[in-house]
């Protein structure tokens, strides 16, 4: 069995083979997780093939510009007048 270290909000720090509680936190596969930094955590056992859930990826495609070439040219001219 593997173990996961979770914060108070359910966030997972990682999947570990070895978790050891020490005075100021946990040692997980050689990495230190100090509770003064992480806050309160819980340790849960999970299956050996457990993977951390990944959020769905949302791809946002910006809308295509609807300005005509003439409108863009007019905007450019107005900006140039402000710069000069």
């Amino acid at each position: 069995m593997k173990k996961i270290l979770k914060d108070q909000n359910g966030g997972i720090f990682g999947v570990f083979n070895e978790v050891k509680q020490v005075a100021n936190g946990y040692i997980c596969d050689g990495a230190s997780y100090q509770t003064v930094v992480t806050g309160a955590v819980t340790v849960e056992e999970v299956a050996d093939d457990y993977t951390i859930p990944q959020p769905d990826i949302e791809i946002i495609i910006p809308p295509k510009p609807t300005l005509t070439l003439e409108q863009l040219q007019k905007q450019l001219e107005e900006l140039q007048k402000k710069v000069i």
Side-chain angles (χ1 to χ4, degrees), residues 12 51-59:
I12 300 173
T51 57
I52 297 174
Q54 300 296 320
D56 292 334
I57 297 173
E58 182 179 347
I59 299 174

Side-chain angles (χ1 to χ4, degrees), residues 62-79:
K64 292 183 179 179
T66 56
L67 297 176
T68 64
L69 184 58
E70 291 80 17
Q71 291 170 322
L72 290 171
Q73 184 65 36
K74 185 176 179 180
Q75 285 183 357
L76 176 61
E77 289 170 0
E78 289 173 7
L79 288 172

